[in-house]
Amino acid sequence: MTEIRLKSLPDTDDYWQYQFDDMVFRTESLSKSNPQRIIPLGQASGILMTYMAQHRDLLQGKRVIEPFAGSGPLGLLALHLGAESAHFVDLNPRVSDFIYHNAVENGIPNHRYAVHISDIEQFRPQEPFDWLFANPPFVPTPSKVLGALHSAAGPDGNRLAEVLIRQIPQLLHTTGEALIYLLQLEVAGRPLASLACEEFLPDRSVEFTKGWQYQLPFESLVTAYRDQLLEQKPAIDEWSSSISEKWGEELIIDSYVIHIGPMGSQPGIRIRNYDGTKYGSGFFSSRDSLQEVVAENLI
Ligand SMILES: C[S@@+](CC[C@H](N)C(=O)[O-])C[C@H]1O[C@@H](n2cnc3c(N)ncnc32)[C@H](O)[C@@H]1O
């Protein structure tokens, strides 16, 4: 089967636009210095979208949630592919206009979805969901640096992943499943989020699939911050030492897709190397520098 990939369309001054098969999406330009800007689509959303398009049978008639929704690409694609309904959750009130615009552009009527402006930590669904698709903020951010709402994820980059994983038992039916894309610090070969999965999802199968061909040293993220925020060097040094003290030296950063399975089916955590079979060949096209990740995180 030919892989469907996310493609960029020509930008306007204010908006960045994308095409996925016969769908179009609008987000905002990264150059907008607005702490509530709507993040452009990229590898994270693209990989999940390709997987969804190749598994449309899994979505037929399902109730879907997209936490950390932004412009809503994952929930809107699920609706387009045959899901019954989608619920979008985001802290940023500006997402409503973007989700509405993208739904209209793709012929999706508003009775099929709901937008909840809420912190995911406080969100309580009326009924659990069958599928959850998420691209949470995941960029490790020095404590004294004000990162972007869409990317900053606490000093070790795992704050919102942990919040989400803790919520999964309330968000998903026992038969429900989730796909989550994350950048992760690895400690002793294990992504940090696997610790939260062990604690909060002991009865589910949880599969972490590595996304990059090679691993990036945490030190290159520190260097990228130092290069871009020259005046904040002391704060960055302090953060870098506290991370090494907490998690050890020579830390690695990798990207992952986490697939959380239904309850009861072979519970436990499995970490897979990327092998091109499950998430397609596009998964391999990694960024070779963390400069870009840092730049996106700063407003
Ligand atoms: C990386 S963006 C993902 C947007 C979209 N899902 C995508 O793939 O393009 C993360 C989103 O999480 C939202 N967010 C950040 N903290 C949040 C929180 N505590 N609760 C809910 N949403 C949050 C941000 O406003 C942003 O829209």
Side-chain angles (χ1 to χ4, degrees):
M1 192 194 301
T2 324
E3 259 173 50
I4 305 172
R5 301 266 192 94
L6 184 68
K7 297 184 190 124
S8 293
L9 292 173
D11 303 329
T12 67
D13 285 347
D14 288 332
Y15 302 117
W16 286 11
Q17 305 182 98
Y18 302 85
Q19 185 175 0
F20 185 81
D21 202 10
D22 53 352
M23 295 186 82
V24 287
F25 296 93
R26 169 192 274 187
T27 68
E28 242 167 344
S29 159
L30 262 185
S31 63
K32 279 209 157 185
S33 57
N34 179 345
Q36 295 189 323
R37 73 176 168 220
I38 305 298
I39 191 175
L41 306 189
Q43 182 169 318
S45 32
I47 287 159
L48 299 183
M49 290 167 89
T50 297
Y51 182 87
M52 291 164 75
Q54 288 184 324
H55 296 83
R56 54 174 70 213
D57 49 311
L58 299 176
L59 293 165
Q60 301 313 302
K62 301 295 186 191
R63 294 182 75 245
V64 170
I65 179 167
E66 182 179 4
F68 311 106
S71 58
L74 308 174
L76 292 172
L77 175 61
L79 289 172
H80 183 73
L81 294 172
E84 177 204 272
S85 60
H87 287 244
F88 299 94
V89 184
D90 202 294
L91 198 49
N92 181 355
R94 294 189 68 237
V95 305
S96 300
D97 285 350
F98 282 79
I99 293 171
Y100 177 72
H101 173 92
N102 288 332
V104 169
E105 285 293 300
N106 292 296
I108 295 168
N110 58 12
H111 68 263
R112 295 186 65 203
Y113 67 91
V115 180
H116 308 269
I117 303 303
S118 163
D119 187 327
I120 192 67
E121 203 162 4
Q122 263 81 56
F123 179 70
R124 300 289 175 270
Q126 285 185 338
E127 215 189 300
F129 296 92
D130 303 304
W131 268 102
L132 179 153
F133 297 100
N135 167 23
F138 50 57
V139 184
T141 306
S143 316
K144 292 177 187 160
V145 168
L146 178 67
L149 178 64
H150 53 64
S151 295
D156 53 24
N158 214 35
R159 189 177 84 73
L160 291 149
E162 275 180 23
V163 166
L164 179 62
I165 290 164
R166 211 178 307 132
Q167 289 279 79
I168 295 268
Q170 300 180 59
L171 295 174
L172 288 184
H173 277 300
T174 53
T175 52
E177 299 184 53
L179 279 187
I180 304 167
Y181 181 98
L182 287 173
L183 209 64
Q184 284 280 285
L185 269 186
E186 276 181 13
V187 176
R190 294 193 54 182
L192 282 188
S194 65
L195 306 176
C197 291
E198 228 162 50
E199 185 175 351
F200 299 108
L201 306 173
D203 301 325
R204 290 182 183 262
S205 67
V206 182
E207 180 192 77
F208 284 72
T209 302
K210 281 181 200 264
W212 289 345
Q213 214 161 357
Y214 40 79
Q215 300 169 317
L216 295 170
F218 172 65
E219 201 45 43
S220 35
L221 183 73
V222 177
T223 306
Y225 272 112
R226 282 199 193 108
D227 290 350
Q228 291 190 46
L229 298 171
L230 295 175
E231 285 152 28
Q232 305 213 41
K233 189 176 172 301
I236 295 164
D237 291 348
E238 196 184 304
W239 160 69
S240 153
S241 321
S242 70
I243 292 290
S244 308
E245 239 167 70
K246 185 170 173 191
W247 297 115
E249 303 286 335
E250 299 187 8
L251 294 169
I252 291 296
I253 292 189
D254 211 329
S255 71
Y256 285 91
V257 173
I258 312 179
H259 184 172
I260 298 172
M263 272 176 82
S265 58
Q266 299 180 318
I269 292 170
R270 210 152 63 91
I271 299 175
R272 296 170 76 223
N273 281 322
Y274 173 76
D275 62 8
T277 55
K278 185 161 174 177
Y279 296 108
S281 55
F283 199 25
F284 245 153
S285 58
S286 93
R287 319 167 188 238
D288 53 11
S289 142
L290 290 169
Q291 292 283 350
E292 212 184 311
V293 173
V294 166
E296 270 178 21
N297 187 26
L298 304 175
I299 295 165

